[in-house]
Amino acid sequence: MSDRDHDYETFTLVYFRAIEPPLDRAGHPENALWFCKDHVRYTEGKTHMSAILAMVHIRAAIRRNARNPWPLTSLP
């Protein structure tokens, strides 16, 4: 198992601020995203944001904390 693989039990569902009325359908919860145990800490203090805005901040924080924050092969 690589360091990016996790058992499904180690994921946490995090709810963010709603930006649209909920859809009347079964399935994935509205305004929620799954995070592995390595990245769930980046959601702290961001649940008041929409999921889209939170992901912009989360990805930036993950990139800043990476071994090489701006590898040549990365896409913004």
Side-chain angles (χ1 to χ4, degrees), residues 15-19 43-51 53-54 57:
Y15 288 86
F16 296 94
R17 182 178 60 83
I19 57 173
T43 66
E44 292 177 13
K46 294 176 182 62
T47 57
H48 68 284
M49 300 176 182
S50 69
L53 181 59
H57 288 269

Side-chain angles (χ1 to χ4, degrees), residues 6-8 12-14 17 19-21 25 27 31 33 46 50-51 55 57-58 67 75:
H6 300 286
D7 294 329
Y8 71 92
T12 302
L13 186 62
V14 178
R17 182 178 60 83
I19 57 173
E20 296 179 3
R25 64 179 167 87
N31 310 307
L33 298 171
K46 294 176 182 62
S50 69
M55 283 305 299
H57 288 269
I58 291 165
R67 286 188 311 254
L75 296 175

